[in-house]
Amino acid sequence: MKKEITYYKNKSIFITATNTDVGKTYAAEKFLRFFANKGFKVGYFKPFETGVETSPLDGTKMLDITKELNPLFTANINDVVPYKFKLPAAPYVAKGNTVIDLELIKEKKKYLESLCDILIIEGAGGPMVPIEEDFLIIDLIKELDCETILITPSKLGCINDTLLSCEALKSRDIDFEFYINLYQDKDSFNEVSLPFLISKFKNLNYLDDLV
């Protein structure tokens, strides 16, 4: 972590990524376990889950993990995942005629924060994914005033995706750290992508190093 571990107490951390299927849920679990291992009471929040047939699979799994790590986290699935949509698409598309209530999201966040020391918030897709036509995930991060962690993949193309996402976050004056999820093109990462990333950023963080 970029800051002293005590800095994160009583804060919320928003996990976004360069795109979908990059590992936000995996990252959320890693950070939940990391902070729990450091003695913090952890909480979890996923404002939107899409691709929900009957119940939110990711949200339910993560709620179970969170309650295992913090028995005082007595929230239910409707608190943790207030918006559930069947279509696996950006919230703006998946929601259909549903009106997204930002104040409801803020109220849920405040309630969940009361049950933990550190709340891990998992976004949908990447920073520029639309919630409304003119309101994106990156705008939600700003509204919720969170610490922010960007997850980037190790696959070919990650340089471009990482730089674009970094520029987007900087354009909103959002301070962030980024972590590499070393799982795709793992065997070629050191040769294909690492030389530029290490030259550009000097020190790199890897999700698998969180213990």
Side-chain angles (χ1 to χ4, degrees):
M1 305 295 293
K2 190 163 62 175
K3 301 179 177 72
E4 291 291 329
I5 194 73
T6 53
Y7 168 85
Y8 297 94
K9 186 173 182 179
N10 299 322
K11 289 185 169 60
S12 292
I13 299 174
F14 197 108
I15 295 179
T16 187
T18 56
N19 212 316
T20 191
D21 294 329
V22 170
K24 289 186 298 298
T25 303
Y26 173 68
E29 181 177 349
K30 292 288 286 185
F31 278 100
L32 284 171
R33 295 190 183 279
F34 171 77
F35 284 115
N37 287 340
K38 302 299 183 185
F40 295 100
K41 298 191 296 293
V42 294
Y44 175 79
F45 184 30
K46 186 179 177 73
F48 317 100
E49 184 163 337
T50 63
V52 177
E53 290 291 340
T54 54
S55 62
L57 297 181
D58 288 346
T60 300
K61 171 191 171 185
M62 296 304 294
L63 178 57
D64 289 344
I65 290 171
T66 304
K67 287 186 172 184
E68 172 194 327
L69 297 171
N70 174 18
L72 299 178
F73 194 75
T74 53
N76 63 45
I77 193 62
N78 292 322
D79 297 319
V80 169
V81 188
Y83 288 104
K84 299 170 274 291
F85 305 118
K86 185 174 182 179
L87 185 68
Y92 172 77
V93 178
K95 71 185 180 67
N97 294 323
T98 300
V99 176
I100 302 294
D101 184 350
L102 180 59
E103 291 307 311
L104 173 65
I105 293 174
K106 288 181 176 180
E107 288 170 10
K108 293 293 187 183
K109 173 178 177 279
K110 185 176 181 180
Y111 167 63
L112 297 175
E113 286 174 331
S114 73
L115 303 176
C116 60
D117 298 322
I118 298 173
L119 181 65
I120 302 298
I121 304 176
E122 181 183 345
M128 304 302 286
V129 163
I131 299 169
E132 297 290 354
E133 185 175 348
D134 297 315
F135 190 77
L136 314 174
I137 289 292
I138 198 169
D139 299 313
L140 180 64
I141 294 172
K142 193 77 173 176
E143 283 282 345
L144 296 182
D145 191 26
C146 299
E147 300 295 313
T148 305
I149 290 175
L150 173 69
I151 306 302
T152 186
S154 53
K155 67 179 180 179
L156 179 64
C158 68
I159 293 173
N160 178 72
D161 292 350
T162 300
L163 293 179
L164 285 173
S165 295
C166 288
E167 287 299 316
L169 291 165
K170 289 176 183 177
S171 75
R172 298 294 205 284
D173 294 320
I174 295 172
D175 187 32
F176 66 96
E177 303 175 50
F178 87 85
Y179 281 74
I180 296 169
N181 187 12
L182 194 58
Y183 74 111
Q184 288 180 312
D185 296 341
K186 190 173 180 178
D187 293 337
S188 61
F189 173 76
N190 286 353
E191 180 181 6
V192 173
S193 301
L194 182 60
F196 175 81
L197 292 174
I198 200 72
S199 175
K200 175 72 174 177
F201 297 103
K202 311 307 178 193
N203 297 311
L204 299 176
N205 301 308
Y206 295 89
L207 275 180
D208 285 345
D209 290 340
L210 285 174
V211 293

